[in-house]
Amino acid sequence: MITITEQATDKIKEMLAAEEVPNLFLRVGVKEGGCSGFSYGMGFDDDQQSTDQVLDINGLKVVVDADSTKYLRGLEIDFKDAAMGGGFTIHNPNAIATCGCGSSFRTKDEEGKPNPDAC
């Protein structure tokens, strides 16, 4: 369902280790909003719900809430280490439109709730 590149996996594992909190995992999700209609959420969590989908990607525990799974099929998360503009990047094959900042998208079937002031 989700692909995380080796570079992104290494960076996420490094960040998890720095947190020094047991049982943390990566949570990836989607919520309505952003300038294109939906926005991505990615962060560390330790509260897993019974409806969550749990994935093991490159030895990394990744959790996706049930509502977000339909938007994230085929998603690729990468990490670029650059002096300017580095960081995590997301490629979503379900997105037919994205915003300039890259954190918001729209799908063919659903527009979400765009907020033009979000970027």
Side-chain angles (χ1 to χ4, degrees):
M1 177 170 132
I2 295 175
T3 301
I4 301 178
T5 66
E6 185 178 339
Q7 296 87 347
T9 300
D10 291 346
K11 186 63 175 176
I12 293 166
K13 287 180 178 179
E14 176 186 314
M15 293 168 69
L16 278 168
E19 291 291 320
E20 298 180 355
V21 176
N23 303 316
L24 277 182
F25 53 82
L26 179 67
R27 179 175 290 281
V28 179
V30 171
K31 63 180 179 177
E32 288 191 318
C35 51
S36 292
F38 294 102
S39 60
Y40 299 107
M42 187 168 85
F44 299 140
D45 197 353
D46 63 355
D47 185 22
Q48 184 177 321
Q49 305 301 310
S50 62
T51 55
D52 286 338
Q53 182 171 2
V54 180
L55 309 168
D56 182 326
I57 303 173
N58 304 328
L60 183 65
K61 182 178 178 179
V62 180
V63 176
V64 179
D65 66 274
D67 293 335
S68 296
T69 56
K70 66 182 175 181
Y71 303 112
L72 300 177
R73 294 193 199 301
L75 187 84
E76 180 186 75
I77 300 171
D78 194 9
F79 183 81
K80 304 288 186 200
D81 196 5
M84 295 175 61
F88 290 99
T89 61
I90 296 176
H91 171 71
N92 187 344
N94 304 299
I96 62 162
T98 59
C99 66
C101 59
S103 63
S104 180
F105 69 100
R106 177 173 77 229
T107 68
K108 179 180 80 160
D109 299 325
E110 296 186 52
E111 295 184 3
K113 294 183 180 175
N115 176 0
D117 299 324
C119 282

